[in-house]
Amino acid sequence: MNFVLAAVVMASAWAAPAAVAHTAPAPPSAAHAAPAKPPFSYEDCLKAAKKHGESARYGKWHCDQLVKKGWVRHPKR
């Protein structure tokens, strides 16, 4: 029984450095970077909110939150 326990301990000791030796993934390339401008207009956001059954007030709030996150362009005023 002690021999089996010693074999398990040695096997885990040999496997531990191999698990640590993995390299980190490469950073994302410039092709996958987010565009400088948000892709969606505010009007399109309001139309999509209405299409999904959101009330006008909730849709405006929702689109305002997306503007804060940078997913929607500011409305033209």
Side-chain angles (χ1 to χ4, degrees):
M1 186 71 165
N2 289 336
F3 178 73
V4 174
L5 181 59
V8 169
V9 170
M10 289 304 294
S12 64
W14 287 334
V20 175
H22 293 292
T23 60
S29 66
H32 295 287
K37 294 171 104 179
F40 306 109
S41 70
Y42 195 80
E43 293 79 22
D44 289 342
C45 181
L46 291 175
K47 289 177 188 175
K50 185 175 182 179
K51 182 179 177 184
H52 286 286
E54 295 178 2
S55 68
R57 184 176 178 188
Y58 184 79
K60 183 181 179 319
W61 174 86
H62 193 180
C63 292
D64 289 342
Q65 296 301 310
L66 293 175
V67 167
K68 288 180 183 178
K69 287 183 178 183
W71 294 6
V72 174
R73 289 188 295 265
H74 290 282
K76 296 178 184 176
R77 297 180 189 219

